[in-house]
Amino acid sequence: MNRSVAGAGGGGPQPQFVFDDERIRIYGGTTAVWTARSVRRLPGSPEIRLRSTDVIVKQDGRWRWASVHSTRLPTRPAAAFVEAAVLQAHAGEYEIAPGRTLTVTLENGALRGSAAGVRQRELIPRSGTEFVWFSPDSNADMVIVFVRGDGGRTTHAVLRRDGVEAWRARRVR
């Protein structure tokens, strides 16, 4: 479902909310959980993406809001231009630890990364060696940095989470 709602209130520009992926689940006839993603648009301001969860309970025969929570979601960063040959040079497999591999693929002109426990996500270039591991569902600050050896070949991939190196993976293919 996708619907749009204009803000209500006093003077000045009013925000518009576009809701997507709304779901309502009822538990035992007394509790309802409404989850949604929305985009808030206000003229002259950047979009704000939100994930919301509302809990509604039936009390004394009436439905009442018990809890409301919204989390601001990240906006997709702008991609720097990187030559296709540079992207292709980073595609491959990198060993994070024995039995754990980062797989980087080139699909439709964009790098994508996946590893055990992490769904495949787009790697958005900041430069020819630094890529944001972007998830529209998470505020995680994850960056992959590709390290080149003396011959210019990509030899390692480094994951930085919140600016701190989380792991360094050696290229195996």
Side-chain angles (χ1 to χ4, degrees):
M1 174 175 20
N2 191 324
R3 66 184 175 94
S4 180
V5 177
Q14 295 298 308
Q16 177 189 30
F17 291 89
V18 177
F19 289 88
D20 186 22
D21 194 27
E22 287 183 284
R23 296 176 189 190
I24 297 177
R25 293 179 181 91
I26 310 258
Y27 300 93
T30 59
T31 305
V33 177
W34 173 48
T35 58
R37 293 176 198 238
S38 62
V39 178
R40 187 191 84 174
R41 295 184 177 112
L42 183 63
S45 297
E47 283 187 348
I48 296 177
R49 298 184 172 284
L50 300 167
R51 178 179 48 229
S52 304
T53 303
D54 294 19
V55 177
I56 306 149
V57 296
K58 195 172 201 177
Q59 189 176 44
D60 299 327
R62 298 180 55 187
W63 289 98
R64 301 168 192 245
W65 256 275
S67 173
V68 177
H69 177 80
S70 293
T71 300
R72 187 173 181 165
L73 296 173
T75 301
R76 185 183 188 283
F81 174 77
V82 176
E83 294 283 342
V86 173
L87 297 175
Q88 184 62 50
H90 297 320
E93 292 185 5
Y94 301 82
E95 186 179 50
I96 300 166
R100 187 161 181 235
T101 304
L102 165 68
T103 302
V104 178
T105 58
L106 180 60
E107 300 173 18
N108 300 319
L111 286 181
R112 298 186 66 78
S114 63
V118 181
R119 289 189 293 180
Q120 186 182 55
R121 296 288 184 208
E122 183 178 4
L123 300 177
I124 301 171
R126 286 185 179 165
S127 70
T129 57
E130 187 173 298
F131 293 75
V132 175
W133 194 335
F134 180 70
S135 169
D137 300 321
S138 169
N139 284 313
D141 177 15
M142 297 192 336
V143 174
I144 296 281
V145 177
F146 293 101
V147 179
R148 293 185 181 141
D150 293 336
R153 184 173 186 270
T154 305
T155 61
H156 290 81
V158 177
L159 174 71
R160 289 193 333 231
R161 194 175 288 135
D162 296 321
V164 177
E165 185 173 313
W167 48 252
R168 179 174 293 262
R170 178 182 57 85
R171 185 176 194 148
V172 292
R173 267 189 11 183

